[in-house]
Amino acid sequence: DFEEEFESTEAFRWLKKNAPKYHFVLSFPRGNPQKVSYEPWHWRYEGTVEALKKFESSNEFTRAQQKAD
């Protein structure tokens, strides 16, 4: 399944490692109480405005670095 293959990507590994730092959680992990199919690509924000600002500034920094390379 293409959607589940996302969990084998570098992006998913980064999310698993860093998402909590930015107050993001996996929306539908395996065995979720909502009984929604596992969606490794589906993350949601659960945090403060300050945490969202930190996440956004981190993304801007990353994009700037990529442009410089």
Side-chain angles (χ1 to χ4, degrees):
D1 183 343
F2 174 74
E3 292 178 351
E4 286 194 26
E5 288 178 14
F6 179 72
E7 76 179 351
S8 65
T9 66
E10 184 64 34
F12 182 75
R13 286 187 289 278
W14 186 94
L15 281 165
K16 275 189 82 167
K17 180 180 177 185
N18 295 287
K21 211 177 351 181
Y22 300 105
H23 303 269
F24 280 80
V25 296
L26 185 58
S27 295
F28 301 110
R30 293 185 197 280
N32 64 75
Q34 299 95 334
K35 302 204 183 321
V36 175
S37 297
Y38 172 57
E39 297 180 345
W41 53 268
H42 193 161
W43 295 74
R44 70 179 181 272
Y45 175 73
E46 286 192 347
T48 64
V49 172
E50 291 76 22
L52 184 56
K53 287 177 183 175
K54 181 178 179 182
F55 175 77
E56 289 172 346
S57 67
S58 173
N59 278 342
E60 290 170 12
F61 178 74
T62 300
R63 281 191 290 265
Q65 279 185 318
Q66 289 172 342
K67 285 181 183 178
D69 292 341

